[in-house]
Amino acid sequence: QQQQQQQQRQQPQQGAQQQGGGGSGKEARSKSAHVAVKETATKALHDRLTEAQIGSISDVVMKVFGQLVPQDDEMAARTKICSKLEQAIQMQWPGTKLQLFGSSGNNLCTKGSDLDLCLHVPYDLLHPNNDSQHRRGAQNRDRDRHQKLQKQKKKDLESFLMKLAVLLRNGGMIDVEPITTARVPIVKFKVRDGIASTLECDLCINNVLACFNTELLSNFTMLDWRVRPLVYCIKLWVKRRKIHEPYKGYLSSYSYTLMVIHYLQREGVLVCLQDLGRQEAEAARDPALLVLDKYDCYFYRSVEALAGIGESCNASQLGLLLVGFFYFYSRLFPIKEAVISVRKGDMLSKKDKGWEKPKERNRHVICIEDPFDVDVDLGRYVDELTIKDIQQELGRAVDILLQTGDLDQVLKEWTEDEVADPATPGSGLQRSCSKETALHLEDDAHDS
């Protein structure tokens, strides 16, 4: 019996080591072309950093992590706020459920960060005037009727948000403001956390995919202890170097998190959760395989069965993994042809995805596939100018770390009045980089 139990525990680990790619939607069920990169970053860097340098960088990563991660009392306060709000809302609307999502729910929030909440509302409660025959997917052959139905649904959502805002005001929330015209309508408000501060909150309705994304990232953070410190360090780096605001043409914090996960998948630290156990899920008709009649949101959830697999495959210290992240995306990642895919745990081909050329607002300069809505490129707002900033910052980071091992210098706040200093790697008004990195960027520009 003990041998049988041990074999059962080993089965998911063996599957993780042998997995090929995940699946999601029509494109996922076909055999997608993958872009091959033979060399891993940590192997390429093996002889270029001393143990002392790696240890020093690792120490700074952990220091950053300790400074940014919320204490237990703050996390408990966040959970308590969600629970109390849910109780108040359920008294008004039984059958609803409130859930933390985004960084608030995926183990990657920072001290004092906003609280993102999603209220799950049953269809009949949100759309009381639409009978069952008008549910999603029904009666859509009549275009005019379908458009009227969509307009009514929008009005229903706006009406519910206004009622929700009233409930929150009566419940003592501060600065309650419903924003019904946003792409994802929300109610913004503030709430006292019961400790010594006030949290800003955003509450949306039925943002189902965002909640699945939250749970997926949370599971990745539980697979290996090194994930969270690395993500926190990268988050601080992009914020300080001013390459993190999508409305300015850069990548979002979420996109950078997916880049970290994808890199760690390639290094063997993380497995592809959307592939593992898929056959069993299909046999059991797991409801996550088809969400909202459109999306494949399946992923393996029994992460405790995978304990230790990351370190058994790649035991690299945090310092080496961090340098490897900068090295991979500045020197190895074939940005002209590859798509970052956490869903597949590998790089897909832009050609295979149909993302070779810009289309409308999708520039497809650096392509990052959404794990569930696979037709969405999360890097679509990055253009030919902002990608140079991102690439040169990646190059600057790896240059400094290989030359001096000074992570604090890498994390230095970027300002427009930086003065070039030949004696300081990565300094200068122009986001400068070494000759090796510059040549890599020049090759990319030549190829385009």
Side-chain angles (χ1 to χ4, degrees):
Q1 289 179 345
Q2 289 178 345
Q3 288 178 345
Q4 286 180 338
Q5 291 173 355
Q6 185 176 3
Q7 288 175 354
Q8 290 173 353
R9 287 194 297 269
Q10 289 175 345
Q11 283 175 356
Q13 292 192 355
Q14 292 169 353
Q17 292 169 341
Q18 296 171 1
Q19 63 188 331
S24 182
K26 182 185 292 185
E27 185 274 331
R29 287 187 284 272
S30 64
K31 292 185 178 179
S32 300
H34 292 239
V35 178
V37 173
K38 296 180 181 179
E39 190 176 34
T40 63
T42 50
K43 288 183 178 179
L45 295 169
H46 185 264
D47 297 325
R48 301 185 66 174
L49 290 163
T50 66
E51 287 297 321
Q53 286 177 317
I54 293 172
S56 176
I57 297 169
S58 299
D59 290 341
V60 177
V61 174
M62 289 305 299
K63 182 182 74 173
V64 167
F65 178 59
Q67 291 171 344
L68 295 179
V69 68
Q71 299 299 315
D72 291 343
D73 58 346
E74 182 178 342
M75 295 304 297
R78 288 170 175 267
T79 303
K80 187 175 181 181
I81 289 170
C82 182
S83 178
K84 284 190 172 182
L85 284 173
E86 182 180 57
Q87 290 176 12
I89 293 171
Q90 286 178 342
M91 288 186 67
Q92 178 77 22
W93 295 292
T96 56
K97 180 182 178 181
L98 194 62
Q99 178 180 350
L100 292 168
F101 80 100
S103 63
S104 302
N106 63 20
N107 289 331
L108 296 170
C109 69
T110 54
K111 292 178 180 177
S113 60
D114 294 353
L115 193 63
D116 295 315
L117 299 158
C118 178
L119 182 64
H120 298 279
V121 183
Y123 184 94
D124 293 335
L125 185 58
L126 188 59
H127 307 290
N129 298 320
N130 295 329
D131 57 37
S132 59
Q133 68 173 336
H134 292 150
R135 289 179 185 272
R136 183 178 55 253
Q139 302 294 332
N140 287 349
R141 287 171 292 183
D142 186 332
R143 180 173 296 181
D144 291 338
R145 189 175 184 180
H146 177 63
Q147 289 178 347
K148 289 179 181 179
L149 176 61
Q150 295 309 308
K151 288 181 180 179
Q152 183 60 49
K153 285 184 177 180
K154 185 177 180 181
K155 289 181 180 180
D156 291 342
L157 177 58
E158 291 176 357
S159 175
F160 193 94
L161 282 172
M162 299 302 290
K163 294 176 184 176
L164 184 59
V166 172
L167 183 146
L168 292 171
R169 288 193 193 98
N170 294 339
M173 302 302 108
I174 307 167
D175 297 337
V176 179
E177 179 186 6
I179 303 177
T180 60
T181 56
R183 184 179 64 85
V184 179
I186 60 172
V187 179
K188 296 182 72 71
F189 62 96
K190 296 178 182 178
V191 59
R192 293 182 179 87
D193 64 4
I195 304 175
S197 59
T198 301
L199 289 176
E200 294 189 4
C201 304
D202 292 342
L203 196 161
C204 62
I205 305 293
N206 292 345
N207 197 351
V208 178
L209 289 187
C211 292
F212 273 104
N213 272 308
T214 297
E215 294 169 9
L216 176 65
L217 264 59
S218 177
N219 277 19
F220 275 123
T221 67
M222 292 186 285
L223 279 177
D224 193 287
W225 69 270
R226 293 167 292 180
V227 176
R228 294 179 74 207
L230 285 171
V231 171
Y232 275 80
C233 196
I234 295 301
K235 279 188 171 186
L236 179 64
W237 169 69
V238 300
K239 183 177 181 180
R240 287 188 174 175
R241 299 306 295 177
K242 306 292 192 297
I243 53 171
H244 69 299
E245 296 171 318
Y247 69 91
K248 291 184 178 179
Y250 295 106
L251 294 168
S252 66
S253 175
Y254 173 59
S255 296
Y256 283 111
T257 299
L258 292 181
M259 288 173 67
V260 174
I261 292 172
H262 171 78
Y263 158 69
L264 292 176
Q265 286 176 323
R266 295 189 57 80
E267 289 288 335
V269 175
L270 295 177
V271 299
C272 181
L273 290 176
Q274 288 171 267
D275 178 58
L276 194 60
R278 176 166 288 275
Q279 290 183 348
E280 292 81 358
E282 290 174 348
R285 297 185 179 181
D286 191 317
L289 290 165
L290 187 62
V291 174
L292 301 178
D293 295 333
K294 182 178 180 180
Y295 303 103
D296 182 345
C297 295
Y298 168 79
F299 59 90
Y300 188 77
R301 295 172 180 270
S302 301
V303 292
E304 65 278 358
L306 306 175
I309 191 171
E311 288 189 286
S312 68
C313 293
N314 186 337
S316 297
Q317 294 184 53
L318 279 172
L320 183 58
L321 287 172
L322 181 69
V323 182
F325 172 87
F326 294 124
Y327 187 89
F328 173 72
Y329 285 111
S330 66
R331 308 279 173 82
L332 300 180
F333 178 64
I335 191 171
K336 298 296 180 183
E337 56 187 87
V339 176
I340 295 166
S341 176
V342 165
R343 172 178 63 92
K344 291 286 189 179
D346 204 346
M347 291 183 291
L348 302 181
S349 165
K350 283 188 179 182
K351 182 178 180 181
D352 187 65
K353 294 285 295 183
W355 291 352
E356 290 178 286
K357 298 179 181 179
K359 185 178 180 181
E360 298 177 353
R361 297 178 65 187
N362 295 277
R363 297 186 176 99
H364 298 319
V365 177
I366 179 171
C367 294
I368 304 171
E369 181 192 65
D370 184 277
F372 301 119
D373 193 353
V374 299
D375 293 326
V376 171
D377 174 12
L378 297 169
R380 61 190 179 277
Y381 299 128
V382 177
D383 60 32
E384 290 77 7
L385 295 177
T386 52
I387 192 58
K388 289 181 180 178
D389 289 345
I390 295 172
Q391 287 181 304
Q392 290 188 22
E393 283 297 338
L394 288 162
R396 169 188 176 272
V398 77
D399 292 343
I400 293 173
L401 293 173
L402 289 179
Q403 292 179 42
T404 68
D406 188 354
L407 181 53
D408 288 320
Q409 176 66 20
V410 171
L411 299 175
K412 179 183 176 182
E413 191 90 24
W414 184 84
T415 60
E416 292 185 358
D417 60 353
E418 284 187 10
V419 179
D421 179 3
T424 305
S427 70
L429 181 61
Q430 301 296 324
R431 300 179 192 260
S432 61
C433 52
S434 71
K435 185 176 181 180
E436 181 181 357
T437 299
L439 288 172
H440 184 81
L441 295 175
E442 186 178 335
D443 289 340
D444 279 346
H446 179 71
D447 289 342
S448 64

